Amino acid sequence: MSSERRPAGVGNLIRGAVAGGIATWVMDLTTTGMLQGQSPEVNHREEQARPNGKGAVTNLVDRLQAAFDVQLDDAARSAVETGIHFGLGIVPGAIYALLRDRVPLLGAGRGMLYGVLLWAVNDEILNTRLGLAGEFGAYPAETHGRGLVGHLVLGVGTDAAVTALGG
């Protein structure tokens, strides 16, 4: 199908998916650096707050394995966890690229509002409600701050990459 006949939204979806993947990688670099700078006390409090002592994606994969009665070996499990993690940046990135010019407030701050929305909805609400993460107050403030900074990086990175890719 030639580009003249393809719906305009398809290109934006692809740009957004690629941008979301890139921005997820940059977010990971940022939050890993911040995590390495945390005190052992904060790390311990964060670990204690996590259901089953595990992060949200790991808990989700545990739940999926149980629901579908499958057991993944370590390599497959790692690939699934990585896929889910990056998917949580790729899918919203595609949607963001499709909507940022149609929903004016969404692109506010060159992706900052988008990043804050992802942090609030995913990290602070859904993960807790789904039992994939502990209650808000169980985590130290540093955990919430690291998540917010990471998602700001994700939002700005997604916006910048979409623009760089021609969106």
Side-chain angles (χ1 to χ4, degrees):
M1 180 185 255
S2 73
S3 61
E4 296 85 50
R5 296 176 52 202
R6 186 177 0 193
V10 172
N12 280 337
L13 286 171
I14 293 168
R15 277 188 284 279
V18 171
I22 293 166
T24 299
W25 177 70
V26 175
M27 176 186 76
D28 287 349
L29 293 174
T30 302
T31 56
T32 297
M34 293 176 74
L35 184 62
Q36 291 170 347
Q38 281 185 180
S39 72
E41 176 192 342
V42 170
N43 290 337
H44 179 72
R45 287 179 53 215
E46 184 173 319
E47 289 169 15
Q48 294 299 308
R50 294 176 166 181
N52 310 310
K54 300 175 184 177
V57 171
T58 303
N59 282 321
L60 176 60
V61 172
D62 285 349
R63 199 175 286 174
L64 291 171
Q65 283 188 139
F68 292 104
D69 194 29
V70 296
Q71 191 60 37
L72 301 172
D73 63 32
D74 290 345
R77 183 180 177 97
S78 178
V80 168
E81 288 180 4
T82 299
I84 289 171
H85 174 68
F86 272 85
L88 290 169
I90 290 169
V91 172
I95 295 166
Y96 175 76
L98 186 64
L99 297 179
R100 79 171 176 168
D101 294 331
R102 295 177 186 172
V103 180
L105 192 58
L106 186 61
R110 302 305 306 165
M112 283 189 190
L113 180 60
Y114 164 69
V116 169
L117 288 172
L118 281 182
W119 167 74
V121 171
N122 188 48
D123 281 17
E124 302 297 333
I125 298 170
L126 285 179
N127 282 338
T128 299
R129 292 219 173 136
L130 294 173
L132 302 174
E135 294 294 324
F136 180 89
Y139 289 94
E142 291 88 345
T143 303
H144 300 290
R146 185 180 68 248
L148 176 57
V149 169
H151 282 86
L152 285 168
V153 168
L154 178 75
V156 171
T158 299
D159 188 86
V162 167
T163 300
L165 293 168

Short mmCIF file of all heavy atoms in Angstrom, two decimals, residues 32-73:
data_model
loop_
_atom_site.label_atom_id
_atom_site.label_comp_id
_atom_site.label_asym_id
_atom_site.label_seq_id
_atom_site.Cartn_x
_atom_site.Cartn_y
_atom_site.Cartn_z
N THR A 32 17.38 3.42 36.89
CA THR A 32 18.43 2.53 37.41
C THR A 32 19.50 3.35 38.10
O THR A 32 19.96 2.99 39.19
CB THR A 32 19.02 1.66 36.29
OG1 THR A 32 18.00 0.83 35.76
CG2 THR A 32 20.16 0.79 36.81
N GLY A 33 19.89 4.46 37.49
CA GLY A 33 20.87 5.34 38.13
C GLY A 33 20.37 5.89 39.45
O GLY A 33 21.11 5.94 40.44
N MET A 34 19.10 6.27 39.48
CA MET A 34 18.53 6.78 40.73
C MET A 34 18.47 5.68 41.79
O MET A 34 18.77 5.93 42.96
CB MET A 34 17.13 7.35 40.47
CG MET A 34 17.12 8.59 39.61
SD MET A 34 15.45 9.17 39.23
CE MET A 34 14.97 9.86 40.83
N LEU A 35 18.09 4.49 41.39
CA LEU A 35 18.00 3.37 42.32
C LEU A 35 19.37 3.06 42.93
O LEU A 35 19.48 2.79 44.12
CB LEU A 35 17.44 2.14 41.60
CG LEU A 35 17.18 0.91 42.45
CD1 LEU A 35 16.14 1.20 43.52
CD2 LEU A 35 16.71 -0.24 41.56
N GLN A 36 20.39 3.11 42.11
CA GLN A 36 21.74 2.84 42.61
C GLN A 36 22.21 3.87 43.62
O GLN A 36 23.06 3.57 44.46
CB GLN A 36 22.72 2.75 41.44
CG GLN A 36 22.49 1.52 40.58
CD GLN A 36 23.29 1.53 39.29
OE1 GLN A 36 23.86 2.55 38.89
NE2 GLN A 36 23.32 0.39 38.63
N GLY A 37 21.63 5.06 43.56
CA GLY A 37 22.00 6.11 44.50
C GLY A 37 21.19 6.11 45.78
O GLY A 37 21.45 6.90 46.69
N GLN A 38 20.19 5.23 45.89
CA GLN A 38 19.36 5.17 47.09
C GLN A 38 20.11 4.52 48.24
O GLN A 38 20.95 3.66 48.05
CB GLN A 38 18.09 4.35 46.83
CG GLN A 38 17.03 5.07 46.10
CD GLN A 38 15.75 4.27 45.97
OE1 GLN A 38 14.85 4.79 45.39
NE2 GLN A 38 15.65 3.05 46.44
N SER A 39 19.71 4.89 49.43
CA SER A 39 20.31 4.29 50.62
C SER A 39 19.80 2.86 50.79
O SER A 39 18.70 2.52 50.35
CB SER A 39 19.95 5.11 51.86
OG SER A 39 18.59 4.92 52.18
N PRO A 40 20.58 2.01 51.46
CA PRO A 40 20.12 0.65 51.74
C PRO A 40 18.82 0.63 52.53
O PRO A 40 17.98 -0.26 52.32
CB PRO A 40 21.27 0.05 52.55
CG PRO A 40 22.47 0.83 52.13
CD PRO A 40 21.96 2.22 51.87
N GLU A 41 18.62 1.60 53.41
CA GLU A 41 17.38 1.66 54.19
C GLU A 41 16.16 1.87 53.29
O GLU A 41 15.14 1.21 53.45
CB GLU A 41 17.45 2.78 55.23
CG GLU A 41 16.16 2.95 56.01
CD GLU A 41 16.11 4.22 56.83
OE1 GLU A 41 17.16 4.83 57.09
OE2 GLU A 41 14.99 4.60 57.21
N VAL A 42 16.28 2.79 52.34
CA VAL A 42 15.17 3.05 51.41
C VAL A 42 14.92 1.81 50.55
O VAL A 42 13.77 1.42 50.34
CB VAL A 42 15.46 4.30 50.55
CG1 VAL A 42 14.45 4.43 49.42
CG2 VAL A 42 15.46 5.55 51.41
N ASN A 43 15.98 1.19 50.07
CA ASN A 43 15.83 -0.03 49.27
C ASN A 43 15.10 -1.12 50.07
O ASN A 43 14.22 -1.80 49.54
CB ASN A 43 17.19 -0.56 48.81
CG ASN A 43 17.83 0.32 47.76
OD1 ASN A 43 17.16 1.07 47.07
ND2 ASN A 43 19.14 0.24 47.66
N HIS A 44 15.45 -1.26 51.33
CA HIS A 44 14.81 -2.27 52.19
C HIS A 44 13.33 -1.96 52.38
O HIS A 44 12.48 -2.86 52.28
CB HIS A 44 15.53 -2.35 53.54
CG HIS A 44 14.91 -3.34 54.47
ND1 HIS A 44 15.01 -4.70 54.30
CD2 HIS A 44 14.17 -3.15 55.59
CE1 HIS A 44 14.35 -5.31 55.26
NE2 HIS A 44 13.83 -4.39 56.07
N ARG A 45 13.00 -0.70 52.65
CA ARG A 45 11.60 -0.32 52.83
C ARG A 45 10.80 -0.56 51.55
O ARG A 45 9.66 -1.01 51.59
CB ARG A 45 11.50 1.15 53.24
CG ARG A 45 11.95 1.38 54.69
CD ARG A 45 11.88 2.83 55.12
NE ARG A 45 10.58 3.42 54.87
CZ ARG A 45 10.40 4.70 54.50
NH1 ARG A 45 11.44 5.50 54.37
NH2 ARG A 45 9.20 5.17 54.29
N GLU A 46 11.41 -0.28 50.40
CA GLU A 46 10.74 -0.51 49.12
C GLU A 46 10.50 -2.01 48.91
O GLU A 46 9.41 -2.41 48.51
CB GLU A 46 11.59 0.06 47.99
CG GLU A 46 10.95 -0.04 46.64
CD GLU A 46 11.74 0.68 45.57
OE1 GLU A 46 12.26 1.79 45.83
OE2 GLU A 46 11.84 0.12 44.46
N GLU A 47 11.50 -2.81 49.18
CA GLU A 47 11.35 -4.27 49.03
C GLU A 47 10.26 -4.81 49.95
O GLU A 47 9.49 -5.69 49.55
CB GLU A 47 12.68 -4.97 49.31
CG GLU A 47 13.71 -4.75 48.22
CD GLU A 47 15.11 -5.21 48.61
OE1 GLU A 47 15.24 -5.97 49.61
OE2 GLU A 47 16.07 -4.81 47.93
N GLN A 48 10.18 -4.29 51.15
CA GLN A 48 9.16 -4.73 52.10
C GLN A 48 7.75 -4.36 51.65
O GLN A 48 6.79 -5.06 51.98
CB GLN A 48 9.43 -4.14 53.50
CG GLN A 48 10.71 -4.64 54.14
CD GLN A 48 10.68 -6.14 54.35
OE1 GLN A 48 9.76 -6.68 54.92
NE2 GLN A 48 11.72 -6.81 53.85
N ALA A 49 7.61 -3.29 50.89
CA ALA A 49 6.30 -2.82 50.44
C ALA A 49 5.77 -3.65 49.26
O ALA A 49 4.56 -3.71 49.05
CB ALA A 49 6.38 -1.35 50.02
N ARG A 50 6.66 -4.30 48.55
CA ARG A 50 6.26 -5.04 47.34
C ARG A 50 5.54 -6.34 47.69
O ARG A 50 6.04 -7.12 48.48
CB ARG A 50 7.49 -5.39 46.51
CG ARG A 50 8.19 -4.21 45.93
CD ARG A 50 9.44 -4.66 45.23
NE ARG A 50 9.96 -3.60 44.37
CZ ARG A 50 11.03 -3.73 43.63
NH1 ARG A 50 11.71 -4.87 43.62
NH2 ARG A 50 11.43 -2.73 42.89
N PRO A 51 4.39 -6.60 47.05
CA PRO A 51 3.74 -7.89 47.26
C PRO A 51 4.67 -9.03 46.81
O PRO A 51 5.30 -8.93 45.75
CB PRO A 51 2.50 -7.82 46.35
CG PRO A 51 2.26 -6.37 46.15
CD PRO A 51 3.62 -5.72 46.18
N ASN A 52 4.78 -10.04 47.63
CA ASN A 52 5.65 -11.18 47.35
C ASN A 52 7.12 -10.79 47.22
O ASN A 52 7.92 -11.55 46.69
CB ASN A 52 5.21 -11.92 46.07
CG ASN A 52 3.75 -12.24 46.07
OD1 ASN A 52 3.23 -12.79 47.04
ND2 ASN A 52 3.05 -11.87 45.01
N GLY A 53 7.46 -9.57 47.63
CA GLY A 53 8.84 -9.09 47.51
C GLY A 53 9.27 -8.85 46.08
O GLY A 53 10.46 -8.78 45.79
N LYS A 54 8.30 -8.71 45.17
CA LYS A 54 8.59 -8.59 43.73
C LYS A 54 7.97 -7.32 43.16
O LYS A 54 6.98 -6.81 43.66
CB LYS A 54 8.03 -9.80 42.99
CG LYS A 54 8.58 -11.13 43.45
CD LYS A 54 7.88 -12.27 42.74
CE LYS A 54 8.36 -13.62 43.25
NZ LYS A 54 7.61 -14.71 42.61
N GLY A 55 8.53 -6.89 42.04
CA GLY A 55 7.99 -5.74 41.32
C GLY A 55 6.70 -6.09 40.60
O GLY A 55 6.32 -7.26 40.46
N ALA A 56 6.02 -5.05 40.11
CA ALA A 56 4.70 -5.22 39.49
C ALA A 56 4.73 -6.14 38.27
O ALA A 56 3.85 -7.00 38.12
CB ALA A 56 4.13 -3.85 39.11
N VAL A 57 5.69 -5.98 37.40
CA VAL A 57 5.74 -6.81 36.19
C VAL A 57 6.00 -8.27 36.56
O VAL A 57 5.37 -9.18 36.01
CB VAL A 57 6.78 -6.29 35.18
CG1 VAL A 57 6.99 -7.27 34.03
CG2 VAL A 57 6.35 -4.92 34.63
N THR A 58 6.88 -8.50 37.51
CA THR A 58 7.16 -9.87 37.96
C THR A 58 5.91 -10.50 38.56
O THR A 58 5.59 -11.66 38.29
CB THR A 58 8.33 -9.88 38.96
OG1 THR A 58 9.46 -9.28 38.31
CG2 THR A 58 8.68 -11.28 39.40
N ASN A 59 5.19 -9.74 39.38
CA ASN A 59 3.93 -10.24 39.95
C ASN A 59 2.90 -10.52 38.86
O ASN A 59 2.15 -11.50 38.94
CB ASN A 59 3.37 -9.26 40.98
CG ASN A 59 4.08 -9.37 42.31
OD1 ASN A 59 4.42 -10.46 42.76
ND2 ASN A 59 4.33 -8.24 42.93
N LEU A 60 2.87 -9.68 37.82
CA LEU A 60 1.93 -9.91 36.72
C LEU A 60 2.28 -11.21 35.99
O LEU A 60 1.39 -12.01 35.68
CB LEU A 60 1.96 -8.73 35.74
CG LEU A 60 1.09 -8.88 34.49
CD1 LEU A 60 -0.38 -9.08 34.86
CD2 LEU A 60 1.27 -7.67 33.59
N VAL A 61 3.54 -11.44 35.74
CA VAL A 61 3.94 -12.68 35.04
C VAL A 61 3.62 -13.89 35.92
O VAL A 61 3.13 -14.92 35.41
CB VAL A 61 5.43 -12.64 34.62
CG1 VAL A 61 5.88 -13.99 34.08
CG2 VAL A 61 5.64 -11.54 33.58
N ASP A 62 3.84 -13.79 37.22
CA ASP A 62 3.44 -14.88 38.13
C ASP A 62 1.95 -15.18 37.96
O ASP A 62 1.53 -16.33 37.87
CB ASP A 62 3.69 -14.51 39.59
CG ASP A 62 5.16 -14.55 39.99
OD1 ASP A 62 5.98 -15.06 39.21
OD2 ASP A 62 5.46 -14.04 41.09
N ARG A 63 1.15 -14.13 37.95
CA ARG A 63 -0.30 -14.28 37.84
C ARG A 63 -0.70 -14.89 36.49
O ARG A 63 -1.58 -15.75 36.43
CB ARG A 63 -0.96 -12.92 38.03
CG ARG A 63 -2.41 -13.06 38.39
CD ARG A 63 -3.05 -11.73 38.69
NE ARG A 63 -2.63 -11.22 39.99
CZ ARG A 63 -2.95 -10.01 40.42
NH1 ARG A 63 -3.66 -9.20 39.67
NH2 ARG A 63 -2.56 -9.60 41.61
N LEU A 64 -0.05 -14.46 35.43
CA LEU A 64 -0.34 -15.01 34.10
C LEU A 64 0.04 -16.49 34.01
O LEU A 64 -0.70 -17.29 33.43
CB LEU A 64 0.38 -14.21 33.01
CG LEU A 64 -0.12 -12.78 32.79
CD1 LEU A 64 0.80 -12.02 31.86
CD2 LEU A 64 -1.55 -12.79 32.27
N GLN A 65 1.19 -16.83 34.59
CA GLN A 65 1.60 -18.24 34.60
C GLN A 65 0.56 -19.10 35.31
O GLN A 65 0.21 -20.18 34.84
CB GLN A 65 2.97 -18.42 35.27
CG GLN A 65 4.14 -18.04 34.43
CD GLN A 65 5.45 -18.41 35.08
OE1 GLN A 65 6.33 -18.86 34.40
NE2 GLN A 65 5.62 -18.24 36.39
N ALA A 66 0.07 -18.63 36.43
CA ALA A 66 -0.93 -19.38 37.20
C ALA A 66 -2.25 -19.46 36.43
O ALA A 66 -2.87 -20.53 36.37
CB ALA A 66 -1.14 -18.73 38.57
N ALA A 67 -2.66 -18.37 35.83
CA ALA A 67 -3.94 -18.33 35.11
C ALA A 67 -3.94 -19.26 33.90
O ALA A 67 -4.95 -19.89 33.58
CB ALA A 67 -4.27 -16.90 34.67
N PHE A 68 -2.81 -19.34 33.22
CA PHE A 68 -2.72 -20.17 32.01
C PHE A 68 -2.04 -21.51 32.27
O PHE A 68 -1.81 -22.27 31.33
CB PHE A 68 -2.00 -19.40 30.90
CG PHE A 68 -2.79 -18.23 30.40
CD1 PHE A 68 -2.44 -16.94 30.77
CD2 PHE A 68 -3.90 -18.41 29.59
CE1 PHE A 68 -3.18 -15.85 30.33
CE2 PHE A 68 -4.64 -17.34 29.14
CZ PHE A 68 -4.29 -16.05 29.50
N ASP A 69 -1.74 -21.78 33.54
CA ASP A 69 -1.12 -23.05 33.94
C ASP A 69 0.10 -23.38 33.09
O ASP A 69 0.20 -24.46 32.50
CB ASP A 69 -2.15 -24.19 33.88
CG ASP A 69 -1.64 -25.43 34.61
OD1 ASP A 69 -0.85 -25.28 35.56
OD2 ASP A 69 -2.05 -26.55 34.21
N VAL A 70 1.01 -22.41 33.00
CA VAL A 70 2.27 -22.61 32.29
C VAL A 70 3.43 -22.29 33.22
O VAL A 70 3.29 -21.48 34.15
CB VAL A 70 2.39 -21.74 31.01
CG1 VAL A 70 1.33 -22.12 29.99
CG2 VAL A 70 2.32 -20.28 31.34
N GLN A 71 4.53 -22.93 32.96
CA GLN A 71 5.74 -22.64 33.72
C GLN A 71 6.82 -22.24 32.73
O GLN A 71 7.15 -23.02 31.83
CB GLN A 71 6.17 -23.87 34.53
CG GLN A 71 7.26 -23.60 35.54
CD GLN A 71 6.85 -22.56 36.59
OE1 GLN A 71 5.71 -22.50 37.02
NE2 GLN A 71 7.79 -21.73 36.98
N LEU A 72 7.34 -21.05 32.86
CA LEU A 72 8.37 -20.55 31.97
C LEU A 72 9.74 -20.81 32.55
O LEU A 72 9.93 -20.66 33.77
CB LEU A 72 8.20 -19.04 31.75
CG LEU A 72 6.87 -18.57 31.16
CD1 LEU A 72 6.79 -17.05 31.21
CD2 LEU A 72 6.71 -19.07 29.74
N ASP A 73 10.70 -21.19 31.70
CA ASP A 73 12.06 -21.30 32.20
C ASP A 73 12.60 -19.88 32.38
O ASP A 73 11.95 -18.89 32.00
CB ASP A 73 12.95 -22.14 31.27
CG ASP A 73 13.13 -21.55 29.88
OD1 ASP A 73 13.14 -20.31 29.73
OD2 ASP A 73 13.28 -22.34 28.92
#
